[in-house]
Amino acid sequence: MFGFLPNFLNFNKDDGSGSSNPPPAKRARTDKENVPENDEEETIIQKTEEVQEEEDEIEAEGEEQRFLRFDPVEYVEFEDNPRIQEDDGNEEEQQVDADIPLVNDDDEDMEDIGTNEHQEGSTENSSELPKRSMRGTTVQLREQKQKEWKKQDELEKNKESARDREMRRMQEKEEDAMHVDTVQKPNFELDERTVPYNADKKIMTQLIKESVQTVDYDENATFVAAETRRRQMIEDDPMLKEHLEFKMPETIEQDVIEYKTHHVIKNLEENFENQKKKEAKRMSTQKPGSSKTNKKLSKKRIRIMQNITGNRKEVIPVYCDISRNVNEVDIPPSLTYKYSDTNVTRRAKLDELDKQIEKGKKNIKCDCHDQTPVVKCWENPSCPCYQTNLKLREEFQIGKKKDGKKVDNKKDFLEYDYKPTEFATHKPVYLKPGSFDNVIGFACSELCHCKGHCTNNVTLLVDKKLNSFELERKNKNLGFQVKSQNCIPAGTVIAEFTGEAVKSHDLVERDYAYQVVNPYRSDVVTKLLKVMGHCPEELEKSMRKAYRTCLYIDPKHIGNVARTFNTKCESNVEVLRVYQKSFSPSNIRLLVVTTENIFPGDELNLDYGSEYSKYLPGGCHCGAVSCKNNVVASFPNKEDKAYKKNMLLLKKKIAKEIQDKHSAKFNIYKSQVLDKI
């Protein structure tokens, strides 16, 4: 999830390989209220948590040393009396005392210290002292030495350099990545062709190099095969057949136009405000590495890996188009991660909260199991999971009305106050500006009687593996790119962003991390608690504590294809949160949703925020109309009397360009794919 950049967004432009695979890090928040007034505030909080954690570790280690270094010893008080002097003459009693160890065998220094100290403080010869009295004195010295060791350990830990801590945590991550057993989702079948994972990056790189080969690649044939596969999977699946309408529309939907237009306008306005020059040449609109769906391409390609997922039912090949032959292929470290379809949450230490939720019976599940094969949980008033969706919509989302008046969509659709986002299984998930903070859903899970096989599980399509992707490397500076091989309508959940859930102070490298819990949004946990209803005091405290911590999903060492999504000023996918089972951060699923219609050959892009272009050589070159590297000659002035009229004309012009672009791409898709199926 180098210091803190604005809006909690941090970037590294290179992961050590010369490949700056732009990370799907949480892009800059659009709402100013989400940004702390003082950048040092979060650092102070994190530093305090880190110091407290280290102090707890020191205390725990001190206790461990106490039991490892000493045998249990009982405190005994003695008095100088004649009976003890008499015992000195008893050889049998002396023999028994001699068998009692004063210290451990490996603690010779301790014995010497105890003897010398006693000699200095006594007027008698040590050989004449009762042995039990010597034992009691040694016990006190042991405790004193223990405290000295503990203080010494604290000093050593405090002296540990930042570099040492970084190396230690990196080693912990490597060990986690090597030993963790990830739980595979449905539709998994082991693919023996996959390069086996190895925590040693050098070994992993060598294994990948051995799999590099040159292959024949026909782009159009690939797209036709992917489209045929998707349609056949829907036809063969009773949970999807007759329920899922998965066709590319000939005309673009109004909700999509609204969302797209908003972002274009926002980018143009930001560009205009940041520019000092009034006139400049607009950069080319051809994005680097864009697929050419208007040509039939049959060529040789260098395939680095046959399948990066390890799953026969989700084959994602990896290609390299910047090398002339297999011997010149560079294998960047960004390919050496452990592929996983699930999040790993044990480093976030959320087990205690999850136990309290279970104990307080705050897990959310339903028993709607009357219909098969698809249970009708959506719009079911008796379904707790669907009711939770409605409550979340009421707490977080913008309503259907604007300024207290009902909006006439036909008359003034460009000023439309976005409809609430729904999370039905077979319906499009249309987003709106600020979706990550203001759009949260809830889905049925395996805890429910329906097992998630229902109309209230927006995560179902992710597990079905319907869509086909491929990774390609066409620009060394941009790293790998994700390309779709089939059409994907807007509002489709296509993937889950997975990785390790870690707290901010445990996040050594932030170049791939995506923030999921913002400690400066205290209203989030308040709204979640309201949806949960009455909670035990201890559970409420644990919930607030969990949401006061800056939490990230870090796919640097464990993750999936979503970590490879590139950046573009006008992105075509967005990430939002959906809960399952409960409102614990451990049950958050980051779902990737398409915000426009995706055609075969289109690259999938996230927007990393306005700050990211600073870290790209020469700035951003995505080629979008509102690219941050473009110069905007003019923009409607809010102080102008004709501002509303000019803004409406600009929005209509942008909307027409979006529609025209969609129509052109659809015609190519129809002639080269649909007509051949």
Side-chain angles (χ1 to χ4, degrees):
M1 247 27 294
F2 65 86
F4 288 88
L5 295 174
N7 301 319
F8 310 100
L9 186 58
N10 300 274
F11 307 102
N12 282 340
K13 70 176 182 178
D14 200 310
D15 58 9
S17 66
S19 166
S20 63
N21 194 44
K26 180 70 181 77
R27 70 262 180 261
R29 304 293 177 100
T30 56
D31 299 329
K32 293 184 179 179
E33 62 269 23
N34 297 346
V35 184
E37 296 181 359
N38 187 351
D39 289 340
E40 296 179 359
E41 186 175 355
E42 183 180 356
T43 306
I44 294 173
I45 294 174
Q46 295 167 349
K47 182 177 180 181
T48 304
E49 293 177 350
E50 183 174 358
V51 170
Q52 181 63 43
E53 185 180 17
E54 291 183 355
E55 289 177 355
D56 294 339
E57 293 175 357
I58 291 169
E59 182 178 356
E61 291 179 6
E63 293 293 332
E64 183 179 3
Q65 291 171 348
R66 182 175 302 167
F67 288 102
L68 289 177
R69 293 185 180 181
F70 300 102
D71 292 328
V73 179
E74 181 182 359
Y75 281 88
V76 181
E77 296 183 0
F78 297 96
E79 297 179 0
D80 294 334
N81 56 59
R83 183 170 182 176
I84 294 180
Q85 299 295 337
E86 293 176 4
D87 288 342
D88 288 338
N90 190 324
E91 295 181 0
E92 183 178 355
E93 183 71 19
Q94 291 176 6
Q95 182 63 35
V96 172
D97 288 338
D99 292 337
I100 300 176
L102 298 179
V103 293
N104 287 351
D105 295 337
D106 59 349
D107 218 347
E108 297 177 358
D109 295 339
M110 185 66 223
E111 185 176 4
D112 294 338
I113 292 173
T115 305
N116 294 337
E117 184 172 331
H118 188 80
Q119 287 176 347
E120 293 174 2
S122 176
T123 57
E124 301 180 11
N125 190 299
S126 61
S127 61
E128 299 177 356
L129 292 173
K131 289 183 174 59
R132 288 187 179 177
S133 179
M134 183 184 292
R135 180 188 178 195
T137 304
T138 306
V139 169
Q140 297 174 358
L141 293 173
R142 290 176 188 168
E143 294 297 326
Q144 181 179 352
K145 190 62 178 178
Q146 260 186 306
K147 294 179 181 179
E148 293 177 1
W149 275 330
K150 186 174 180 179
K151 290 181 179 179
Q152 185 178 0
D153 290 339
E154 291 177 356
L155 291 175
E156 290 176 356
K157 280 190 172 292
N158 291 335
K159 289 179 180 179
E160 184 182 20
S161 66
R163 178 63 179 170
D164 292 337
R165 286 197 298 271
E166 181 178 337
M167 294 298 294
R168 172 171 56 83
R169 287 172 178 168
M170 283 295 295
Q171 184 178 0
E172 290 175 355
K173 281 193 171 187
E174 292 288 346
E175 292 174 354
D176 282 347
M178 180 172 60
H179 296 296
V180 68
D181 293 324
T182 55
V183 179
Q184 296 297 344
K185 288 289 183 179
N187 288 336
F188 179 85
E189 182 180 331
L190 182 63
D191 190 346
E192 295 81 2
R193 302 172 302 171
T194 303
V195 177
Y197 174 76
N198 194 300
D200 189 325
K201 292 188 179 295
K202 291 183 179 180
I203 297 177
M204 184 71 175
T205 300
Q206 183 59 37
L207 292 173
I208 294 176
K209 282 185 176 181
E210 294 174 359
S211 68
V212 177
Q213 56 183 295
T214 302
V215 296
D216 294 323
Y217 182 86
D218 188 327
E219 188 174 67
N220 287 340
T222 300
F223 295 161
V224 171
E227 186 73 23
T228 303
R229 168 187 173 272
R230 179 177 62 84
R231 294 187 176 203
Q232 190 62 48
M233 290 181 67
I234 295 175
E235 183 68 22
D236 295 342
D237 194 327
M239 294 180 60
L240 303 178
K241 184 180 180 181
E242 298 180 358
H243 295 279
L244 181 64
E245 186 176 353
F246 213 56
K247 296 180 180 180
M248 182 66 74
E250 294 188 28
T251 58
I252 194 167
E253 302 86 340
Q254 178 178 303
D255 297 85
V256 177
I257 293 177
E258 283 295 324
Y259 186 85
K260 186 80 173 177
T261 302
H262 168 84
H263 280 286
V264 174
I265 292 291
K266 181 175 178 295
N267 289 347
L268 290 175
E269 185 176 12
E270 289 180 355
N271 294 352
F272 182 74
E273 292 177 352
N274 295 332
Q275 290 167 183
K276 295 181 180 180
K277 297 181 180 180
K278 298 287 185 176
E279 297 179 358
K281 293 182 180 180
R282 187 175 298 275
M283 298 180 60
S284 172
T285 58
Q286 175 64 38
K287 72 178 181 180
S290 62
S291 58
K292 301 177 181 179
T293 55
N294 60 333
K295 294 183 179 180
K296 182 178 180 180
L297 299 178
S298 181
K299 58 181 180 180
K300 297 284 186 180
R301 297 188 78 182
I302 296 178
R303 186 170 61 194
I304 301 178
M305 297 178 68
Q306 290 185 330
N307 184 13
I308 197 173
T309 69
N311 184 3
R312 279 187 178 274
K313 296 187 177 181
E314 186 187 22
V315 177
I316 302 180
V318 184
Y319 298 101
C320 176
D321 295 333
I322 59 176
S323 301
R324 292 175 296 179
N325 55 65
V326 294
N327 297 323
E328 296 179 359
V329 175
D330 174 46
I331 308 298
S334 59
L335 273 183
T336 60
Y337 64 95
K338 183 180 180 67
Y339 201 93
S340 173
D341 285 332
T342 59
N343 288 328
V344 180
T345 60
R346 63 193 185 105
R347 289 177 62 83
K349 300 178 180 178
L350 296 167
D351 292 344
E352 186 61 33
L353 173 60
D354 293 339
K355 290 179 181 177
Q356 289 186 27
I357 289 176
E358 186 174 357
K359 181 180 178 181
K361 297 181 179 180
K362 288 300 178 180
N363 279 322
I364 304 172
K365 54 187 178 180
C366 65
D367 58 359
C368 314
H369 57 94
D370 296 333
Q371 297 88 15
T372 56
V374 180
V375 182
K376 295 181 180 179
C377 291
W378 183 260
E379 296 184 342
N380 181 354
S382 63
C383 178
C385 299
Y386 171 68
Q387 291 301 320
T388 301
N389 254 333
L390 295 182
K391 292 177 182 178
L392 288 173
R393 180 192 305 176
E394 182 180 349
E395 290 296 327
F396 286 93
Q397 296 193 39
I398 302 172
K400 293 184 179 180
K401 296 182 180 180
K402 182 177 181 179
D403 299 330
K405 299 179 181 179
K406 189 174 181 180
V407 177
D408 186 346
N409 295 341
K410 295 181 180 179
K411 180 179 179 181
D412 196 16
F413 75 93
L414 291 176
E415 295 295 331
Y416 176 53
D417 192 17
Y418 300 84
K419 294 184 297 185
T421 300
E422 297 183 341
F423 291 92
T425 304
H426 305 105
K427 295 181 180 180
V429 183
Y430 292 135
L431 304 185
K432 54 188 149 187
S435 291
F436 186 82
D437 290 317
N438 300 314
V439 177
I440 299 177
F442 193 88
C444 289
S445 68
E446 62 271 17
L447 292 183
C448 303
H449 284 195
C450 64
K451 302 299 180 183
H453 300 167
C454 67
T455 55
N456 187 65
N457 182 11
V458 74
T459 71
L460 181 67
L461 296 184
V462 176
D463 300 332
K464 291 295 182 181
K465 315 293 185 187
L466 291 177
N467 299 297
S468 300
F469 308 111
E470 64 180 51
L471 297 181
E472 58 183 14
R473 196 181 188 197
K474 294 188 174 183
N475 187 314
K476 191 171 184 179
N477 291 329
L478 295 179
F480 287 95
Q481 301 162 279
V482 182
K483 185 171 72 175
S484 174
Q485 294 181 345
N486 56 266
C487 76
I488 308 175
T492 303
V493 180
I494 60 172
E496 178 182 0
F497 187 94
T498 64
E500 295 179 276
V502 295
K503 297 179 180 179
S504 178
H505 57 266
D506 285 331
L507 192 62
V508 178
E509 299 173 273
R510 300 170 183 248
D511 53 347
Y512 280 82
Y514 203 108
Q515 183 183 359
V516 291
V517 174
N518 182 354
Y520 293 95
R521 284 293 305 269
S522 58
D523 61 314
V524 171
V525 66
T526 300
K527 292 178 179 179
L528 292 177
L529 287 169
K530 185 177 178 180
V531 174
M532 290 173 64
H534 176 72
C535 294
E537 183 178 356
E538 186 178 1
L539 174 56
E540 182 176 341
K541 288 182 179 179
S542 297
M543 278 283 290
R544 293 191 180 277
K545 180 180 179 181
Y547 282 88
R548 281 199 303 267
T549 303
C550 195
L551 190 68
Y552 291 84
I553 296 297
D554 179 18
K556 183 73 173 182
H557 301 286
I558 301 176
N560 65 356
V561 68
R563 76 194 290 278
T564 322
F565 288 159
N566 226 315
T567 182
K568 189 177 180 181
C569 298
E570 296 176 16
S571 61
N572 53 21
V573 299
E574 180 63 280
V575 177
L576 51 78
R577 290 169 292 180
V578 172
Y579 287 89
Q580 283 184 307
K581 304 175 185 177
S582 76
F583 288 132
S584 167
S586 64
N587 289 324
I588 294 176
R589 295 185 68 175
L590 291 181
L591 301 185
V592 182
V593 183
T594 57
T595 57
E596 64 181 68
N597 296 321
I598 307 298
F599 289 90
D602 283 352
E603 182 188 349
L604 300 171
N605 303 105
L606 282 168
D607 183 3
Y608 299 169
S610 57
E611 296 293 322
Y612 184 75
S613 59
K614 298 178 181 178
Y615 300 89
L616 294 174
C620 182
H621 296 282
C622 69
V625 174
S626 61
C627 176
K628 297 174 180 63
N629 210 24
N630 288 350
V631 175
V632 182
S634 63
F635 193 81
N637 188 350
K638 293 182 179 179
E639 298 180 358
D640 192 343
K641 293 182 180 180
Y643 170 73
K644 291 185 177 180
K645 179 180 178 181
N646 294 335
M647 181 61 72
L648 185 61
L649 290 175
L650 178 60
K651 289 183 176 180
K652 287 184 177 180
K653 179 182 178 181
I654 293 173
K656 186 177 185 305
E657 291 178 353
I658 294 172
Q659 289 175 325
D660 292 344
K661 183 179 178 181
H662 177 275
S663 298
K665 296 176 73 173
F666 181 84
N667 291 334
I668 296 172
Y669 164 68
K670 182 177 183 302
S671 63
Q672 297 187 0
V673 178
L674 293 183
D675 293 346
K676 296 180 180 180
I677 297 178

